[in-house]
Amino acid sequence: MGEHQALPSGWEIRWSKTYQKNYYYNKAKKESRWDPPSAEEKLGAKHILRKHRNSRRPSSWREENITRSEDEAREIIEGYLREIQEIPDAKERDRRFSEIASKYSDCSSAKRGGDLGSFAIGAMQKPFEAAVLDLKVGEISQPIKTDSGIHIILRTL
């Protein structure tokens, strides 16, 4: 990695006292490595989005004109999160997450159970990406606010 090339979001360079050389550390993932991280690294997530009247585009495949408040959107998302978290089995949680996303998410990814597939670091809105990086694969976030609305995120990659 050239000296002037920026590191992907979440990565920093640290010094190894033991080996007397630089290494790369991702604080969110608690991951370290000798080789520089690539901006081409992929993340993956499913999400459930509820838009509100102040979202950057307050309409969706479900509703032409969204009029709910941000607080109402957050309450709805928190209800979904509580329901999903009550399920003890990870596979069943994943299935229910996808089912709720398919029926209620305001994102077009609803047709894929909320699955956004894989995406490069830097491709999503900063708060969304930061939330994904804070999660381990299989974990679900607390509600996250972006310009699009209020999300819960399930990390898949």
Side-chain angles (χ1 to χ4, degrees):
M1 177 178 281
E3 292 231 8
H4 303 305
Q5 202 168 10
L7 290 171
S9 176
W11 288 93
E12 59 188 41
I13 297 174
R14 292 191 174 178
W15 181 255
S16 168
K17 293 177 186 172
T18 304
Y19 295 99
Q20 296 293 298
K21 66 179 187 175
N22 286 333
Y23 68 97
Y24 300 89
Y25 183 74
N26 185 309
K27 197 172 186 176
K29 292 191 209 176
K30 295 180 177 47
E31 175 186 334
S32 61
R33 58 167 63 173
W34 295 113
D35 297 322
S38 166
E40 300 305 311
E41 284 186 71
K42 300 291 184 181
L43 301 174
K46 294 180 182 182
H47 76 136
I48 301 169
L49 168 65
R50 289 315 303 254
K51 292 183 175 186
H52 50 81
R53 63 178 161 250
N54 295 321
S55 295
R56 69 176 172 191
R57 197 175 68 78
S59 65
S60 75
W61 67 274
R62 300 181 67 252
E63 297 175 73
E64 188 175 332
N65 183 28
I66 295 172
T67 58
R68 77 181 67 81
S69 71
E70 182 179 324
D71 287 342
E72 289 168 324
R74 182 173 296 280
E75 284 176 27
I76 293 166
I77 285 291
E78 287 171 349
Y80 298 151
L81 181 60
R82 279 191 302 275
E83 178 183 339
I84 293 163
Q85 287 176 327
E86 288 175 1
I87 301 169
D89 180 69
K91 284 185 180 181
E92 183 60 23
R93 266 193 314 275
D94 180 73
R95 187 197 65 73
R96 185 65 182 134
F97 191 101
S98 295
E99 186 176 85
I100 291 170
S102 293
K103 290 181 183 176
Y104 304 112
S105 181
D106 287 321
C107 181
S108 62
S109 67
K111 63 186 164 222
R112 296 181 303 280
D115 195 344
L116 296 168
S118 66
F119 48 90
I121 291 173
M124 298 292 180
Q125 293 176 50
K126 289 287 183 198
F128 190 96
E129 179 179 293
V132 173
L133 288 169
D134 282 344
L135 297 170
K136 293 182 176 117
V137 172
E139 289 183 337
I140 299 172
S141 72
Q142 291 299 307
I144 303 299
K145 178 183 174 183
T146 69
D147 292 343
S148 298
I150 309 294
H151 313 249
I152 51 174
I153 303 164
L154 170 63
R155 183 161 181 183
T156 59
L157 283 178

